[in-house]
Amino acid sequence: MVFLLFVAMSLQDTVAKPYVPIGCFKDTMKEPRPLPKLIENFRGGRLDWHNINKTIDACAQKAKEMGYLCFGLQFYGECWSGPQACLTYDRDGPSNESCIHGVGKENECTDYRILNSADRSMTHHTSGQPKCDHWSHGFASNRWYRFTDKAGEAMADECVQSMRCQTFMSGWMSGTHPEVVDGIVPRDVCFNWQNKSECCYRKTPIRVRNCGKFYVYKLPGNTGCYTRYCGNDVVPVGCYNDILSDRALPDLLDSYRGAINWNDLENSVIKPCAVKAKENNRRFFAIQFYGECWSGPGSQNTYAKYGPSSRCTTTAPFVGMQRANFVYMLTEESECNNYKILDAADRSQFHVTNTAKPIRCDHKRLDENSWYRVVGAAGNAMADQCVQTWRCQTLGTGWFNGTYPKVSDGIQRGNVCFSWNRKCCYKESIVRIRNCSSFFVYKLNNDIGCVNAYCGNGQ
């Protein structure tokens, strides 16, 4: 069996169109059923086969009377719903069968393509061969797409730095995501190149829809290369119970309850909480009581300790109610997990260069697409004060000349000075640096000339 699902746009009588269709879903008839309650049966002579919308209107009215937001029609005239219908309607999955006269078969909330690769996340730094969302590269134009998994829960809706999500010109949606009641809305995608024109060097129109639990986007494939649509950095995990005396996520990072914008929970609650989680090096965080931001050490192991809950909002953006956490996961910052090691003892700032051994030169010998971490006898970071020449097994000694960033600063530019001929900064080079909470990583320029090398702060 299948049913066609609708979401009521309002429980008030003043709305001209009282519902929007969501899609066609399976019902295996096994308990518990996706929509467990038969609230009205219009079969048995009550159906107007020439105007099936009358049945939909009547079912919507019945759902409104009972205070239900989501309802479905099955077997042409059975009106089904339930207190948690918006959470359970897709329990048995989408249906490929036609609903009423084919309605729902091509519905964008059930007929979409998936964008889920980790390198599509806005936090992914482009390295190697860039990718492009162009029809000539196999991207199907003017189809509906859904972001999920490691790509994020939705398209990024804030400026994404260029050279992110494995492309040159990073695409992000200008404007807020719609509510379910808005239906399909127009938006623009901006493509950022070197932060020109306020992060909108080029733009293209798209269409967006809120399908209740996720968003879908109708995307053109003619934006040119190298451009790509980028996902955000937050992945929804789910709704879970909490016990106040022994919280699953014990640290209150912040509370936004006094400043909640109920029309924009995404920007007034969820995004600020994500920033707090990053600052505290927490990969999992949760929203409880509509505006409280919670996390904790080992959050990936504790967030589900009390099992799933139904006390969360039922349409995106999701937040928890009382004694319930809606949990999110940040997509991984790859440079903090994927780096190369510089650990040789003779790279220490105090190692006197031994001319009987090969002289170190990092020119053209480092991978400019990789990140590096200084560890072991080389130190725990790059030297950050003037290093004498003829140290760290080289002649021109490289040291970081600047202030180390905080975790919340993300990736920053910095200068490395090379000491030579009694000058502490005879030559300079631009590098990238990131604070990964307990250590630093560096993206190093490999065009520094010989004989120069980067020195660690080892003792």
Side-chain angles (χ1 to χ4, degrees), residues 275-290:
V275 171
K276 285 291 183 181
K278 291 178 187 178
E279 291 176 353
N280 287 272
N281 198 31
R282 304 284 191 254
R283 192 173 179 208
F284 288 77
F285 66 93
I287 308 299
Q288 185 175 133
F289 204 15
Y290 301 99

Side-chain angles (χ1 to χ4, degrees), residues 57-129:
D57 291 343
C59 186
Q61 179 63 31
K62 190 67 177 179
K64 184 180 73 171
E65 291 172 0
M66 302 185 72
Y68 298 150
L69 183 63
C70 295
F71 63 94
L73 278 165
Q74 186 177 105
F75 201 21
Y76 301 102
E78 294 179 355
C79 180
W80 292 81
S81 188
Q84 302 297 324
C86 290
L87 287 175
T88 61
Y89 69 82
D90 60 352
R91 176 179 289 152
D92 295 338
S95 173
N96 293 323
E97 301 179 39
S98 296
C99 288
I100 301 171
H101 301 304
V103 174
K105 188 173 182 180
E106 300 298 328
N107 186 277
E108 59 275 2
C109 289
T110 57
D111 185 23
Y112 50 77
R113 299 187 176 203
I114 292 292
L115 301 175
N116 62 355
S117 61
D119 64 6
R120 194 176 281 277
S121 167
M122 63 184 288
T123 61
H124 175 84
H125 293 261
T126 301
S127 63
Q129 179 62 37

Side-chain angles (χ1 to χ4, degrees), residues 24 64 67 89 128 136 162 164 166 194 213 222 240 249 254 286 310 319 321 399 406 413 441-442 448 452-453:
C24 195
K64 184 180 73 171
Y89 69 82
S136 63
S162 56
R164 297 294 192 274
Q166 200 51 36
Q194 298 179 339
K213 292 187 175 182
N222 60 351
Y240 295 90
L249 299 175
D254 210 338
S310 60
V319 295
M321 302 177 193
W399 57 281
K406 302 187 295 292
R413 288 163 58 97
V441 290
Y442 309 84
I448 57 176
N452 298 302

Side-chain angles (χ1 to χ4, degrees), residues 68 96 127 146 228 237 258 291 299 305 309 320 329 339 357 364 382 397 437:
Y68 298 150
N96 293 323
S127 63
R146 175 186 175 184
R228 204 174 189 214
V237 176
S299 54
K305 65 188 292 186
S309 172
M329 178 184 71
Y339 48 77
K357 295 182 178 181
K364 300 297 184 182
M382 191 183 298
T397 50
S437 183

Side-chain angles (χ1 to χ4, degrees), residues 125-140:
H125 293 261
T126 301
S127 63
Q129 179 62 37
K131 295 182 179 180
C132 180
D133 286 339
H134 191 264
W135 61 266
S136 63
H137 287 234
F139 188 84

